[in-house]
Amino acid sequence: MNEDLSLRDFRRKLINWAMGAVLALAAALVLIPLLSVFAYVVKQGISSVNWNFFTQLPKPVGETGGGMANALLGTIELVLLAMLVGVPWGVATGVYLAEYGRGKFARALGFCVDLMTSVPSIVVGLFTYTILVMPFKRFSAMAGGASLAIIMIPIVARTTEELLKLVPNHIREAGLALGIPRWKVTLWIVLRGSMSGIITGVMLAVARVAGETAPLLFTAFNNSYWSFKLDQPIASLPIQIYNYAISPFEDWHRQAWAGALVLVCFVLVLNLSTRILMRQPRSTR
Amino acid sequence: MTNLNPILEARQINAWFGGTQAIRDISISAQPNTVTALIGPSGCGKSTFIRCLNRMHEEVPGASVKGQVLLSGSNIYDGGVDPVSVRRKIGMVFQKPNPFPALSVAENVAVGLRLAGISKRSVLNETVEKSLRQAALWEEVKDKLRSPGTSLSGGQQQRLCIARALAVSPPVLLMDEPTSALDPISTARIEELLNELKKQVTVVIVTHNMQQAARISDRTAFFLLGEMVEFDETATIFTNPKDRRTEHYITGRFG
């Protein structure tokens, strides 16, 4: 009897250990693609990331050297444009869904937001092309920014909604009981209380759209020069990488890798800084 | 006492959650500068009733109210009355301390005035200090007015919520079991505080704790199953109740 028990005990411990090992292995396997992609990009790109890369315009075909300065700036411009439209719109949608949306319409809207998150980005590009490129007969930064905004909106909306739903109802009641109108309670108490989380969501959405290529292909198109005009085509890092990668020139391949490395680092830094921001000491209750 | 004009008078209050009636024909009145306690077992409708007194009950989806609540003689349920303006005059403190997250101690107190459009620094600072003093919290927090309100202890948070409610200077303060989430020492502090507060405001307080009602209130209403069984001077309720059910509850035979 006693022996039987110790045997079962042993079996239990063995299974526990084996399960732990299987899970650890699964976790390690997830890291392999991530680390190998990163390592490969670093290996291929690091030698070409230099001062010229960040400061110079692309050189014409045949000439070596040059950089992606305009594409870097272009990506920043496009992301800012996307934020300008996408953040307020997304936050407003999230606030509506969490605070005001009741009934069929709100449920349908929530469903649509979920659908929007999974619309392939090439489709978003095509859509923007038909409404913002075809009528003006011109590729433009505006169209590129709009297509990125369309990708941002559902992400920001969902994050905002989830965060506001975490705010306990008694906080809203406390605001109402002070004689504060509901819209002010929503804006200055509920939303403000979730601000750090919403900023996190926005930054993650930015990290996501910064690397999008497909929606820019036929909206922002490309540009070999600096561009600050919203109604003109504009260069961007992902498109530049794409163009250089499919070109037949060795020097361009080299630069494409450098671009890829910079893009990966940009997204990585954005994600990391978001996490560090999140870890800021926050009192909980 | 009854010959004075009551500051707050509820007449025939009925309240529903959807199709379920929670309270039935409840009428009480409170004289200025008194503490009125509402006691009764869980689910007897005392919290629902107190939320009818500043139109918070209707914030629950599907909830409805019938009856009149007169504040200094005018009905807060009259057609044109905005619940927002009612709640400025009838403040509320909840069971669970609920300081606003991401707001500092000072901002928590000032927020009621700020969002009512008062932005003058000197006025706000003055109100913050005055309200925190009224809530007997000033000495403890005067050096950490800028730290988050949620960083205070539970008892301090509750006094912060009292200060926040007092900052908009309501003549009436409703308290829904304000000490039930607190330890005995914090509870004692809030009870002491009530004695001071009633010099300036009229208090209606829901409590689970009969001793608390006996210690702090001038009049007590006993609620049972959505009805008010008895409403009288606190001393009478606790020593010589008229209704057997009150007596049974007071002596701990049920509830």
Side-chain angles (χ1 to χ4, degrees):
Chain A
M1 169 78 187
N2 230 348
E3 226 161 86
D4 198 35
L5 205 70
S6 72
L7 191 71
R8 256 201 288 172
D9 208 33
F10 176 72
R11 233 177 75 94
R12 180 178 59 75
K13 280 183 180 155
L14 190 73
I15 291 175
N16 184 39
W17 181 87
M19 287 301 172
V22 167
L23 293 178
L25 188 71
L29 283 175
V30 169
L31 284 178
I32 289 175
L34 174 70
L35 291 178
S36 48
V37 165
F38 190 64
Y40 196 70
V41 172
V42 171
K43 176 173 160 270
Q44 297 284 331
I46 194 83
S47 60
S48 309
V49 177
N50 50 34
W51 186 244
N52 284 351
F53 177 87
F54 290 104
T55 52
Q56 298 211 340
L57 291 176
K59 284 265 160 67
V61 183
E63 285 179 50
T64 51
M68 289 194 183
N70 63 328
L72 265 173
L73 187 75
T75 282
I76 292 170
E77 283 176 54
L78 284 170
V79 166
L80 285 179
L81 266 177
M83 285 174 76
L84 204 67
V85 180
V87 172
W89 200 329
V91 169
T93 309
V95 167
Y96 173 78
L97 285 173
E99 302 290 317
Y100 294 92
R102 302 276 175 273
K104 272 198 186 128
F105 175 70
R107 267 203 304 280
L109 186 67
F111 182 66
C112 288
V113 170
D114 281 342
L115 277 183
M116 257 178 90
T117 335
S118 42
V119 169
S121 53
I122 187 89
V123 176
V124 173
L126 274 172
F127 169 72
T128 322
Y129 175 78
T130 53
I131 63 160
L132 283 175
V133 175
M134 290 217 304
F136 300 102
K137 302 197 166 49
R138 182 191 279 164
F139 296 112
S140 66
M142 183 182 67
S147 64
L148 295 186
I150 293 175
I151 295 172
M152 274 184 91
I153 289 169
I155 307 177
V156 174
R158 265 292 172 223
T159 322
T160 307
E161 184 195 356
E162 298 301 328
L163 282 162
L164 295 190
K165 281 187 169 162
L166 287 181
V167 176
N169 206 33
H170 61 79
I171 294 294
R172 294 180 184 86
E173 290 206 322
L176 292 174
L178 272 181
I180 303 171
R182 182 171 277 276
W183 69 273
K184 282 187 179 174
V185 172
T186 303
L187 219 55
W188 298 113
I189 292 169
V190 179
L191 196 61
R192 185 168 164 194
S194 313
M195 213 26 114
S196 67
I198 291 173
I199 291 171
T200 308
V202 166
M203 283 171 84
L204 291 177
V206 165
R208 159 86 197 278
V209 300
E212 281 291 348
T213 320
L216 298 178
L217 276 172
F218 25 70
T219 52
F221 197 61
N222 202 354
N223 193 331
S224 309
Y225 302 97
W226 301 105
S227 172
F228 299 99
K229 292 200 180 106
L230 293 188
D231 61 343
Q232 295 295 328
I234 190 168
S236 62
L237 215 41
I239 298 287
Q240 194 78 349
I241 294 167
Y242 172 74
N243 284 338
Y244 275 23
I246 59 171
S247 78
F249 311 111
E250 196 54 44
D251 189 49
W252 281 14
H253 291 171
R254 196 176 54 70
Q255 288 206 32
W257 280 113
L261 177 58
V262 170
L263 190 58
V264 167
C265 288
F266 175 69
V267 171
L268 198 73
V269 166
L270 212 58
N271 270 297
L272 281 179
S273 49
T274 306
R275 298 211 183 250
I276 291 164
L277 261 178
M278 280 272 279
R279 232 187 292 141
Q280 238 180 17
R282 268 204 319 185
S283 52
T284 49
R285 154 113 220 147
Chain B
M1 218 161 179
T2 38
N3 51 3
L4 288 167
N5 282 331
I7 181 164
L8 189 71
E9 186 179 359
R11 288 185 184 161
Q12 308 269 302
I13 294 290
N14 289 269
W16 292 263
F17 290 102
T20 326
Q21 186 157 17
I23 52 175
R24 218 177 286 275
D25 286 335
I26 293 178
S27 305
I28 68 164
S29 61
Q31 303 298 332
N33 305 103
T34 59
V35 175
T36 305
L38 313 179
I39 62 169
S42 298
C44 67
K46 53 196 191 301
S47 284
T48 306
F49 175 69
I50 202 172
R51 290 168 61 92
C52 291
L53 298 180
N54 67 342
R55 299 192 60 172
M56 282 300 288
H57 178 68
E58 65 205 65
E59 290 299 332
V60 180
S64 55
V65 190
K66 229 189 216 148
Q68 290 188 319
V69 175
L70 307 180
L71 175 67
S72 308
S74 59
N75 184 11
I76 66 169
Y77 282 102
D78 265 347
V81 178
D82 182 2
V84 167
S85 67
V86 169
R87 295 174 195 142
R88 290 236 173 102
K89 289 179 222 137
I90 308 180
M92 190 164 209
V93 174
F94 295 81
Q95 180 170 3
K96 221 179 131 195
N98 51 7
F100 297 132
L103 294 193
S104 71
V105 170
E107 286 171 324
N108 255 289
V109 180
V111 72
L113 288 182
R114 280 270 290 280
L115 294 184
I118 293 167
S119 55
K120 224 177 149 196
R121 277 265 128 229
S122 56
V123 178
L124 292 175
N125 289 342
E126 221 168 86
T127 312
V128 167
E129 180 172 345
K130 191 178 130 224
S131 312
L132 285 170
R133 279 190 194 284
Q134 279 181 311
L137 189 60
W138 175 254
E139 291 303 322
E140 289 160 65
V141 300
K142 64 181 176 194
D143 298 322
K144 39 184 172 181
L145 291 175
R146 302 209 171 282
S147 26
T150 44
S151 67
L152 303 179
S153 76
Q156 290 174 329
Q157 287 189 17
Q158 192 61 303
R159 276 178 284 147
L160 178 62
C161 293
I162 294 173
R164 181 177 68 190
L166 292 173
V168 292
S169 31
V172 177
L173 187 61
L174 309 176
M175 304 178 108
D176 188 359
E177 297 188 37
T179 61
S180 65
L182 304 182
D183 64 88
I185 294 171
S186 307
T187 300
R189 296 211 59 163
I190 286 182
E191 288 184 10
E192 277 168 42
L193 176 61
L194 276 173
N195 260 325
E196 283 301 308
L197 277 184
K198 75 175 189 183
K199 290 172 190 160
Q200 292 137 50
V201 293
T202 307
V203 177
V204 180
I205 182 171
V206 167
T207 175
H208 243 98
N209 180 331
M210 281 180 287
Q211 287 75 32
Q212 183 170 67
R215 281 193 298 266
I216 61 174
S217 69
D218 301 292
R219 308 198 83 200
T220 297
F222 173 57
F223 281 57
L224 188 64
L225 300 172
E227 295 189 29
M228 193 173 70
V229 174
E230 201 168 342
F231 178 44
D232 213 327
E233 302 290 318
T234 299
T236 314
I237 291 272
F238 281 95
T239 54
N240 189 20
K242 292 184 187 64
D243 196 289
R244 284 182 68 85
R245 290 171 295 175
T246 314
E247 190 186 331
H248 284 174
Y249 184 69
I250 301 295
T251 52
R253 249 177 261 184
F254 70 93

